Structures are given as C-alpha cells and as structure tokens.
C-alpha cells in the first residue's frame, strides 16, 4: 500500500459487516440446501470458514485420515485429580481481595459422552472477559477497564454425575478486528477432557437472547441451526439465588470415536 | 446402546487463553534429569509459511512401561498459594501442554512411549475452529510397514508424521496447518 507523501499510514481496509453477513448467509443457505437434499448434518464448524478471516490460512486442505487402529493411544487420555485443582478454583469472584464488578452468576451443567453417561472426575477449565468485555491478557488492548478484582480463570473436576459448576460474573461483549465493527457476543471459553484424548473439546458457551449472535462469524461457523443453539446456555430460575446470583445451565456432550461410547460396561 | 446424543460443537480457542490454559512445567512430562529424556520440538506454521505464535499444543502418550492409565498431577498445585508447582517427578502423567513462543516454536521433554512408536499431538489456535490431532512418530521406534496408518500413506505425506532426529535424543517435529506452496501439509487425524 502506498500513501501520498505527508499522509499518515492508513490502517488496512476492513470488510463491512454487510459483506461478512452475506458470506455467512450464503454458507448457511448452501448447508441447509445440502441437508434438505439428504446430505449429512454437521455438528462441528467447518475448519474452512472464510467469514472468520483467521481460518483462511489455518485450516488443512487435505481430508483428515482415520487410523483404523483399535489400539490407538488416543482412545485413552490424561487424568486429573484433587492435586490439580484447589477448592477456590471454581469461584471466579473470590480470587482477589475485593468483589468483581458485574452480574454474579452460577454456571452449571453436566459433561456427558454421546451415550449420555456422565464424564466423572475430569478437568473442566474456563476463561472469560470481565463485565466490561476485557480479558486480563496483555494483548487485549480493547479500551475497556480492567477489573482488579477479576482475572476470569476457573477450573474444577466433574462430580460423579458429571456435573461442573462455577461462580463467576457475566462477561461483556467485546470488539475484534475480523471486520469493521465486529463484536463478539458474550461468551465463556470451556476446555473439556473425556476418558479418551480423542474426546477432547474446546468450545464457547453463549447467553440466551444475545443480539450479536447473527453477526458473529465464530458462532455462525457452526452452520447447523440446532448445533448452534446447543452452544447457548439456558437461564434457569431455579439456579438463581435470592438476593445473590443468577443461574445458567449448560450441558456439554463430548464427541469422540464410537469406541468411547458404543461399548457397555466400560 | 441405542441413545446417541448430538455432540457439543467445537469453537476456536481464540487468542486469549494464555492466562488460563498453559501451566508451569506443562512441557516437562519427563522427571527432571531422567537419563532417558527425549526432547521433541518444532514450529507450528500457517498456509503462508508464517509461524503461529498463538498455537497451543497438547501431548498424550503411554508411559515407558506401556501403561495408558496416566496419572493425576500434571498441574499439581500448592494448596497454600494455588500456584502450579509442577509434577511430583515420580508419577508419569503422560500429558503435556505447551503454548507456542512468539516465534511459533514449542518444546516438549518426555520419556519414550511404551507400546506405541508415537506421541499424540492435539493442536489449537486462533483461527482454528476445531482442534486437529496428529502424531509425532519417533523413528527409532517406528516400523513403517508395521504401522497401518503410516503404511497407508504415500511417502511424502507419511514424512510429515515422522519426527526428525537432530542430535542424540532430540527430535524436530514441525506442524503445518496448511501447505505453503513449498512444504507439505501435516497429516491430521480423525477418530471415528
């Protein structure tokens, strides 16, 4: 890019939301048409999803290779225990001297395999922006205030029902540079382990009714409507606490090779 | 078994996991000073041949004796301060997690796996909507004809799964998320 002498350097021109939204709609329509014609449903996002510009150079073009190996090491996986987590780790509001700003909430749910069995004693990790939409990360330069009383990291182990729970505050939406005026809907990042490494999952939980869903190429990369809806937690009034906190429920189902959920009596 | 719940969709790890997922000693699966320690290292590249500084890699492998049970304690914590104090040096957890450096480079110190000739690798990055699995095969342990996965691949594809010996007990294993016009794209795996 060349500028006339004496003019300040221009930032790269970003696409408009209209352009990104048109690409999102085109891909979604093509998927809907393919499914209507008997094509397979896809529960996961396509790694090649151009509206999310960073995906363009970061997805493989070859098809994945399936090892036909019943002894694959990936059918087992890492384990964690009480030495890996402290009791305060699942309360993100108690990691500093003071109380964080924002809507206090409980987020809870179960981690299941595809047969509906609980994933017990496994590590769940979360991270999120603060109530203003700012991460406690040096590279997040969004000019929203940091909260000295909120880091935004939590861990816990699932119980015998596969249940996890975190006390935290509702994260704010925040801008990013995928395109002009790009904003991420509020979300919490989740990292999950199953009994097999092949069940590994990193994902994001969203909040019901967020007006930014339709504009966000990361969420919309899940082109299947029902799969995308499953990324949204339910507000559950029974989980809210009198004069204290709101409650959200979000169950997670780990994908994985059939061997991890077809066999009885594992 | 008749039920089959639909799985929860993957989403990208994004750029800001750095204060949440990496932990001190995450790349040190081998007990400090163990004489059998091997070093596996490399760089993660994108389709323009540029290193990916925000890649996160995880590793899983059987213990040298072939046990696949793993062990807790990869991110063992100090109950007083909550800080990660590292593995206890006795239990072999089999799990490693390493955030790439600013130059896209990672480094893992571990012991050779027992029973399989490879270390399983899972790659996450901003821009990658769904993690990718691959395997770093250690050449001294690998009988290509005896490994159905390797035997099934043409040589130029197979080569992307073979760690390259550099020095004694030091192996290079680069990961290329996409071909850059010069280098082959790494073979990535799906488990069905």
């Amino acid at each position: 890019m060349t500028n006339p002498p004496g003019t300040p350097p221009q930032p790269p021109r970003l696409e408009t939301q209209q352009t990104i939204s048109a690409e999102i709609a085109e891909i979604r329509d093509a998927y809907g048409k393919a499914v209507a014609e008997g094509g397979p449903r896809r529960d996961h996002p396509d790694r090649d999803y151009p509206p999310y510009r960073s995906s363009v150079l970061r997805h493989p073009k070859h098809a994945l290779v399936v090892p036909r190996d019943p002894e694959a090491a990936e059918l087992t996986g890492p384990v964690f225990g009480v030495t890996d987590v402290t009791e305060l780790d699942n309360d993100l509001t108690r990691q500093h001297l003071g109380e964080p700003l924002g809507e206090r909430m409980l987020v809870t749910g179960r981690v299941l395999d595809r047969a509906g069995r609980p994933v017990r004693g496994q590590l769940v990790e979360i991270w999120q922006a603060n109530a203003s939409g700012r991460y406690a990360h040096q590279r997040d330069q969004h000019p929203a205030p940091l909260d000295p009383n909120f880091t935004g990291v939590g861990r816990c182990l699932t119980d015998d029902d596969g249940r996890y729970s975190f006390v935290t505050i509702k994260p704010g939406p925040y801008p990013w540079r995928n395109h002009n005026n790009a904003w991420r809907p509020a979300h919490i990042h989740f990292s999950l382990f199953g009994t097999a490494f092949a069940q590994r999952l990193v994902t994001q939980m969203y909040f019901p009714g967020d007006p930014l869903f339709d504009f966000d190429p990361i969420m919309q990369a899940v082109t299947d409507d029902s799969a995308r809806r499953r990324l949204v937690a339910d507000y559950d009034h029974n989980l809210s606490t009198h004069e204290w906190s709101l409650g959200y429920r979000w169950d997670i189902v780990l994908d994985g090779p059939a061997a991890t959920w077809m066999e009885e009596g594992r | 078994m008749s039920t089959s719940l639909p799985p929860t969709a993957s989403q990208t790890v994004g750029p800001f996991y750095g204060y949440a997922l990496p932990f001190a000693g995450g790349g040190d699966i081998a007990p400090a000073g163990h004489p059998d320690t091997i070093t596996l290292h490399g760089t993660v590249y994108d389709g323009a041949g540029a290193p990916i500084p925000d890649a996160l890699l995880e590793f899983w492998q059987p213990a040298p004796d072939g046990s696949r049970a793993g062990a807790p304690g990869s991110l063992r914590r100090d109950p007083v301060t909550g800080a990660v104090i590292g593995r206890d040096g006795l239990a072999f957890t089999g799990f490693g997690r390493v955030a790439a450096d600013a130059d896209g480079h990672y480094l893992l110190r571990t012991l050779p796996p027992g029973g399989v000739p490879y270390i399983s690798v899972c790659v996450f990055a901003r821009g990658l909507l769904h993690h990718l699995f691959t395997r770093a095969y250690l050449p001294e342990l690998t009988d290509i004809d005896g490994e159905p996965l390797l035997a099934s691949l043409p040589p130029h594809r197979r080569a992307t799964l073979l760690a390259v010996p550099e020095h004694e007990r030091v192996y290079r294993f680069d990961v290329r998320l996409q071909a850059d016009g010069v280098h082959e794209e790494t073979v990535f795996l799906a488990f069905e």
Side-chain angles (χ1 to χ4, degrees):
Chain A
M1 185 165 55
T2 57
N3 295 309
T7 56
Q10 298 296 307
R13 206 182 73 81
L14 294 170
E15 300 284 0
T16 62
Q17 179 71 54
Q18 195 178 14
T19 300
I20 297 293
S21 291
E23 292 178 20
I24 289 171
E26 188 180 336
I27 294 167
R28 192 195 302 168
D29 291 350
Y31 173 75
K33 189 158 175 279
V35 169
E37 288 168 0
R41 288 200 169 277
R42 277 205 317 268
D43 291 301
H44 292 288
D46 194 339
R47 293 180 181 86
D48 178 12
Y49 190 73
Y52 178 27
R53 294 293 193 247
S54 304
S55 77
V56 172
L57 290 171
R58 294 184 170 195
H59 72 272
K61 295 189 172 177
H62 283 273
L64 304 189
V65 177
V66 180
R68 304 287 174 195
D69 178 5
E71 301 298 320
E74 294 84 356
L75 299 179
T76 59
V79 294
F80 301 90
V82 292
T83 55
D84 294 306
V85 175
T86 71
E87 286 181 10
L88 283 175
D89 284 352
N90 73 340
D91 189 340
L92 288 74
T93 68
R94 291 176 64 195
Q95 297 174 348
H96 299 274
L97 290 176
E99 293 266 343
L101 294 169
E103 288 174 37
R104 187 183 297 109
M105 60 180 190
L106 173 73
V107 179
T108 187
R110 297 174 75 204
V111 184
L112 306 169
D113 69 12
R114 293 195 60 186
R117 293 174 303 196
V119 175
R120 300 187 170 105
Q122 260 301 12
L123 183 66
V124 179
E125 299 164 285
I126 65 167
W127 68 104
Q128 63 170 89
N130 69 22
S132 304
R134 178 91 183 259
Y135 285 89
H137 190 294
Q138 184 168 290
R139 282 183 50 213
D140 184 1
Q141 292 298 312
H142 171 40
L146 286 166
D147 183 342
N149 292 314
F150 191 74
T151 304
V153 176
R155 295 187 192 99
C156 71
L157 297 176
T158 54
D159 69 12
D160 277 354
D161 292 325
R163 195 171 306 282
Y164 70 86
S165 60
F166 292 100
V167 175
T168 183
I169 53 91
K170 189 173 179 182
Y174 59 83
W176 60 311
R177 292 170 183 160
N178 187 70
H179 55 278
N180 187 52
N181 205 18
W183 290 81
R184 298 282 346 265
H187 60 275
I188 298 179
H189 295 267
F190 272 72
S191 160
L192 303 128
F193 292 85
T195 54
F197 198 44
Q199 289 174 291
R200 190 81 178 85
L201 177 68
V202 167
T203 185
Q204 302 179 24
M205 184 201 95
Y206 299 90
F207 292 88
D210 194 316
L212 292 169
F213 289 162
D214 287 349
F215 303 100
D216 179 36
I218 292 181
M219 188 197 200
Q220 297 298 326
V222 182
T223 45
D224 186 86
D225 289 344
S226 61
R228 197 168 58 253
R229 273 197 299 273
R230 293 197 301 276
L231 293 177
V232 183
D234 290 322
Y235 171 71
D236 185 339
H237 200 64
N238 292 319
L239 292 174
S240 295
T241 307
H242 180 66
E243 293 193 340
W244 184 248
S245 64
L246 297 173
Y248 290 88
R249 183 184 303 282
W250 191 51
D251 291 340
I252 298 157
V253 178
L254 300 183
D255 207 348
T260 63
W261 53 277
M262 292 289 280
E263 291 169 20
E264 294 280 10
R266 186 165 45 90
Chain B
M1 188 65 59
S2 56
T3 58
S4 169
L5 299 175
T8 303
S10 171
Q11 292 270 268
T12 180
V13 75
F16 297 133
Y17 61 79
Y19 65 104
L21 296 182
F23 54 89
D28 299 327
I29 303 179
H34 195 293
D36 295 340
T37 299
I38 58 171
T39 298
L40 183 75
H41 75 111
T43 299
V44 186
Y45 295 99
D46 70 11
I52 299 183
D54 47 33
L56 178 77
L57 296 97
E58 289 185 346
F59 304 91
W60 165 245
Q61 63 165 97
D65 67 3
S67 165
R68 298 175 177 204
S74 291
L75 51 156
R76 200 167 55 105
R77 310 283 291 286
D78 179 341
V80 177
T81 64
V84 173
I85 49 179
R87 296 169 173 85
D88 67 9
L90 184 62
F92 189 86
T93 75
F95 175 68
R97 178 186 280 168
V98 184
D101 286 336
D103 58 359
H105 184 255
Y106 74 90
L107 191 149
L108 179 77
R109 290 186 193 86
T110 188
L111 301 179
V116 298
Y118 56 84
I119 295 168
S120 301
V121 183
C122 187
V123 184
F124 303 89
R126 176 179 65 86
L128 183 58
L129 285 156
H130 192 179
H131 57 259
L132 287 164
F133 288 106
T134 185
R135 287 175 176 174
Y137 279 85
L138 300 173
E140 287 89 342
L141 301 179
T142 301
D143 164 23
I144 289 174
D145 296 329
E147 276 293 311
L149 169 64
L150 296 180
S152 73
L153 296 167
H156 66 286
R157 298 288 294 142
R158 178 195 304 148
T160 69
L161 297 181
L162 295 168
V164 178
E166 286 189 324
H167 315 287
E168 179 148 11
R169 300 192 163 278
V170 177
Y171 303 88
R172 182 157 191 111
F173 183 72
D174 291 333
V175 177
R176 295 181 181 277
L177 298 189
Q178 196 179 87
D180 62 7
V182 179
H183 303 92
E184 187 69 24
E185 178 179 298
T186 298
V187 169
F188 295 104
L189 306 176
F191 298 93
E192 293 179 350

